[in-house]
Amino acid sequence: MSILVIAEHDNTGIRPSTLNTIAAAKLLGDDIHLFVATNNSELPNSASTIESVSKVISSVDDTLEHQLPEALAPMIKEVATSYSHVLAPATTFGKNLMPRASALLDSQQISDISGVIDQDTFKRPIYAGSCIATVKSNDSIKLITVRATAFDPVQLSGGSAAVESFDSVVSNDKSEFVNEEIAKSDRPELTAADVIISGGRGMQSGDNFHLLESIADKLGAAVGASRAAVDAGFVPNDYQVGQTGKIVAPNLYIAVGISGAIQHLAGMKDSKVIVAINKDEDAPIFQVADYGLVADLFNALPELADKI
Amino acid sequence: MKILVPIKRVVDYNVKVRPLSDNSNVDLNNVKMAVNPFCEIAVEEAVRLKESGTATEIIAVTVGTSASQEQLRTALALGCDRAILIESEENPEPLVIAKALAKIFEEENPDLIILGKQAIDGDNNQTGQMLSAILDLPQATFASKLVIEGQTANVTREIDGGLQTIKVNLPAIVTTDLRLNEPRYASLPNIMKAKKKELATKNINDLGIDTSARTEIISVELPPQREAGIKVESVDELIDKLKNEAKAI
Ligand SMILES: Cc1cc2nc3c(=O)[nH]c(=O)nc-3n(C[C@H](O)[C@H](O)[C@H](O)COP(=O)(O)OP(=O)(O)OC[C@H]3O[C@@H](n4cnc5c(N)ncnc54)[C@H](O)[C@@H]3O)c2cc1C
Ligand SMILES: Nc1ncnc2c1ncn2[C@@H]1O[C@H](COP(=O)(O)O)[C@@H](O)[C@H]1O
């Protein structure tokens, strides 16, 4: 049977997490279809070049601009019946949408998979990544969300999928989009960045984050944060890395003034190289750091910015 | 306005959970249990709505073994008016929990259901969305702000790119994110008072729902462990290691 992937996009382009999700789908079958619900009639065509996708199922309608799950989930329910697996990224988009579609299909979703064993069996982290469970699903249509960092993305180009339209758009009078505050930044996005420098409570204020930013500028890095730094109002919520924030796995992760609580580690411990800067030599972050520097960050950061 | 708050008994968030020696599941022997942190936030939000005069009654409900009574008592001590225990086996799947909660919705007809966004044991992040689907109600997940205006709720949601505000018609399902509020602690007098509040018990098998499990746990293992690295003495040494050893910059 074929595999359906639900595309995450911003109506102008396909989000990178979709490409990791397609990579996971490739481990399940080689006939991969991509469902694109949008208000932009150009988007399905541009998605048709994605590597490994054989068909784009496109639903274009003005009401789909904000892709609210009350409308989208019933559409997925209808499309899903000809597939063995339906996959979406385990981002806030996928987490919001997929369980709703799953319940409509009377299927028990498998959340946030980090590995594919076979058609029915998956690995997924539980208890903030303290353990990895191997789970077998007996549902005939399996709905799955995919941990993007666990699968190397396919390319945006190289494919030539057929585009087929799906016209039964579902109307929604239960919920309504009001507004959005989307952070705009010239830096790379956290989940796609090659280098991340994150600050914790030790940064003491939002203003002090400029110490991280000047290093980030030199390294082309994204800036992240611990929950404590977000809760204290130093930086906005979209900076949060961890069990309940973003899951990242860059080449280099630099944790500054972060103690290393398990909930933070859950979001970054699969990074290739980890650096920790902390004035407390017993901070748990040093147990996962490849390179630890015991120092006051207010001395170390300016020096690092200067010399790097 | 009546609010239903589904809560879950989970391992305390400070416990580092390990697999059983035969790797059949996680080892929960003698570990400290607590109300799921996101459910505490849900209870707190409901209590604040009652304190501000918007809500009139708060019902806490859980699906679990009789041990979960402890967490229901905590919810009562925090300000819920009564509680319902739906007795079941250990850890039913989110789809089963959502079906059970839907039955309670039909009996109680609340105007608002506030759940946690995620239970920190299975990290599923499913139940609220599934319940919304089953009841055909709107959902406002990952809420960091909730404002009730007549028959609608304005909810600000924490999404990957920033914040999104949506408006949902009541009755609606809201799931809580960390920054919705900071939960209070139960005071001793309130803990005493909670002992006298109503706690009703039902059996999940009497609800007329399909409780069969769709998934099975094959094994539970530790993730690959990182080897602790080295401590460097200076910023210069750090830069040198990153350039020449790790080749990361
Ligand atoms: C349900 C739940 C979910 C959670 N989800 C997340 C999550 O997704 N992400 C997350 O990060 N947390 C999460 N947490 C919170 C987590 O448990 C920790 O509280 C949090 O990660 C701590 O942040 P921190 O390391 O910045 O602060 P702290 O633990 O306070 O650590 C600050 C560190 O800074 C160091 N420091 C202070 N001053 C200096 C200085 N001048 N120079 C150098 N070092 C200095 C200190 O030595 C200390 O180690 C969650 C908690 C719960 C209960
Ligand atoms: N057994 C349960 N009984 C009542 N509510 C639950 C139960 N399990 C989960 N929930 C609710 O659903 C939320 C999300 O849980 P989950 O989908 O398991 O991550 C929790 O924060 C609770 O509000």
Side-chain angles (χ1 to χ4, degrees):
Chain A
M1 280 250 264
S2 314
I3 316 295
L4 184 67
V5 172
I6 311 299
E8 177 173 10
H9 60 79
D10 57 9
N11 292 311
T12 47
I14 299 289
R15 311 266 310 146
S17 56
T18 308
L19 306 177
N20 305 85
T21 306
I22 293 169
K26 281 174 74 175
L27 303 172
L28 291 162
D30 44 24
D31 190 24
I32 298 169
H33 298 180
L34 187 68
F35 183 69
V36 183
T38 174
N39 65 347
N40 174 6
S41 58
E42 300 296 316
L43 188 65
N45 287 327
S46 66
S48 69
T49 63
I50 297 175
E51 181 193 339
S52 304
V53 175
S54 54
K55 195 197 280 181
V56 172
I57 300 174
S58 106
S59 192
V60 179
D61 193 275
D62 283 343
T63 62
L64 293 171
E65 183 180 357
H66 301 293
Q67 305 169 64
L68 295 177
E70 289 78 0
L72 219 46
M75 292 165 65
I76 293 173
K77 178 191 172 183
E78 203 180 317
V79 178
T81 47
S82 25
Y83 296 90
S84 58
H85 301 74
V86 184
L87 276 60
T91 53
T92 51
F93 164 78
K95 287 174 180 173
N96 187 36
L97 171 65
M98 289 293 273
R100 191 173 180 106
S102 195
L104 293 177
L105 286 157
D106 196 34
S107 173
Q108 173 53 55
Q109 175 180 310
I110 313 281
S111 294
D112 206 17
I113 63 161
S114 56
V116 173
I117 308 286
D118 61 34
Q119 298 278 318
D120 307 321
T121 319
F122 309 93
K123 284 195 185 288
R124 60 179 302 266
I126 53 175
Y127 293 88
S130 299
C131 294
I132 306 290
T134 302
V135 182
K136 180 169 186 281
S137 160
N138 297 316
D139 278 313
S140 53
I141 304 177
K142 298 179 210 317
L143 281 89
I144 292 168
T145 59
V146 175
R147 173 169 288 215
T149 53
F151 302 91
D152 288 334
V154 300
Q155 299 295 316
L156 259 178
S157 59
S160 57
V163 180
E164 191 175 279
S165 72
F166 172 82
D167 292 325
S168 23
V169 172
V170 173
S171 69
N172 163 32
D173 53 11
K174 299 183 190 71
S175 63
E176 189 184 312
F177 171 87
V178 178
N179 61 47
E180 221 160 48
E181 287 168 45
I182 297 297
K184 292 219 165 46
S185 162
D186 298 335
R187 294 212 174 77
E189 203 188 315
L190 263 180
T191 49
D194 204 40
V195 180
I196 296 175
I197 182 161
S198 287
R201 200 197 309 269
M203 296 302 296
Q204 287 180 13
S205 75
D207 285 346
N208 289 336
F209 265 70
H210 76 83
L211 296 169
L212 300 179
E213 280 156 12
S214 50
I215 297 170
D217 288 342
K218 289 199 168 171
L219 295 176
V223 178
S226 70
R227 174 188 170 187
V230 177
D231 282 3
F234 300 171
V235 286
N237 68 286
D238 54 283
Y239 280 51
Q240 184 176 319
V241 171
Q243 179 188 20
T244 53
K246 289 192 178 118
I247 307 293
V248 300
N251 240 326
L252 174 61
Y253 188 90
I254 308 175
V256 184
I258 293 178
S259 60
I262 179 166
Q263 292 86 6
H264 188 79
L265 301 185
M268 46 64 77
K269 72 177 159 53
D270 293 330
S271 304
K272 195 144 171 273
V273 177
I274 298 176
V275 170
I277 301 176
N278 197 305
K279 68 176 181 190
D280 172 8
E281 62 175 336
D282 295 324
I285 190 78
F286 288 124
Q287 289 162 23
V288 299
D290 299 283
Y291 303 108
L293 177 63
V294 181
D296 189 312
L297 66 89
F298 295 103
N299 298 327
L301 289 180
E303 191 184 340
L304 194 59
D306 204 35
K307 293 181 173 167
I308 216 160
Chain B
M1 174 162 123
K2 193 164 160 181
I3 306 179
L4 187 68
V5 185
I7 65 167
K8 189 175 192 197
R9 172 185 168 91
V10 298
V11 169
D12 183 90
Y13 78 97
N14 286 308
V15 175
K16 191 159 171 24
V17 174
R18 299 182 56 85
L20 286 166
S21 57
D22 67 357
N23 291 105
S24 59
N25 209 324
V26 290
D27 185 356
L28 295 184
N29 291 309
N30 304 316
V31 300
K32 186 174 169 211
M33 303 298 284
V35 177
N36 180 42
F38 290 98
C39 302
E40 284 182 334
I41 297 171
V43 169
E44 177 68 31
E45 195 66 13
V47 172
R48 289 186 190 186
L49 286 169
K50 194 175 170 196
E51 286 170 346
S52 69
T54 308
T56 47
E57 189 185 23
I58 309 168
I59 308 156
V61 54
T62 194
V63 184
T65 65
S66 58
S68 303
Q69 285 183 26
E70 193 187 336
Q71 280 64 42
L72 289 174
R73 288 286 171 208
T74 304
L76 292 171
L78 290 168
C80 294
D81 296 294
R82 58 190 171 91
I84 304 170
L85 168 66
I86 304 171
E87 255 188 289
S88 76
E89 314 254 288
E90 203 94 54
N91 265 325
E93 293 170 349
L95 185 61
V96 173
I97 294 164
K99 286 176 183 174
L101 294 174
K103 290 292 175 189
I104 303 301
F105 177 90
E106 284 162 14
E107 282 171 21
E108 299 283 353
N109 281 307
D111 305 284
L112 189 62
I113 310 182
I114 313 180
L115 304 90
K117 80 163 176 183
Q118 160 177 358
I120 60 161
D121 48 5
D123 284 333
N124 279 312
N125 199 327
Q126 296 179 0
T127 309
Q129 298 86 314
M130 288 183 158
L131 180 59
S132 316
I134 294 167
L135 295 172
D136 197 21
L137 292 178
Q139 68 186 52
T141 53
F142 326 146
S144 62
K145 189 169 172 212
L146 167 64
V147 181
I148 306 290
E149 280 169 3
Q151 278 311 297
T152 62
N154 260 306
V155 183
T156 303
R157 308 179 51 233
E158 293 203 2
I159 58 172
D160 288 333
L163 295 170
Q164 178 188 65
T165 303
I166 58 170
K167 187 191 228 161
V168 291
N169 294 339
L170 301 182
I173 311 273
V174 172
T175 77
T176 62
D177 216 315
L178 293 168
R179 280 164 286 274
L180 182 59
N181 60 50
E182 215 173 299
R184 71 194 67 191
Y185 295 96
S187 68
L188 198 59
N190 285 341
I191 293 172
M192 299 311 290
K193 266 191 247 163
K195 293 190 174 152
K196 299 202 187 71
K197 290 186 179 174
E198 178 190 328
L199 194 165
T201 301
K202 296 172 184 289
N203 192 297
I204 196 163
N205 297 317
D206 299 335
L207 296 179
I209 57 170
D210 172 10
T211 59
S212 62
R214 309 297 181 75
T215 63
E216 34 186 313
I217 293 180
I218 306 292
S219 66
V220 173
E221 275 133 29
L222 285 177
Q225 301 293 306
R226 277 191 95 92
E227 290 182 28
I230 57 159
K231 292 249 170 76
V232 293
E233 294 302 324
S234 64
V235 168
D236 289 320
E237 190 187 348
L238 177 62
I239 293 175
D240 175 61
K241 292 282 184 199
L242 287 177
K243 280 198 173 136
N244 300 317
E245 191 175 89
K247 305 208 186 315
I249 56 173

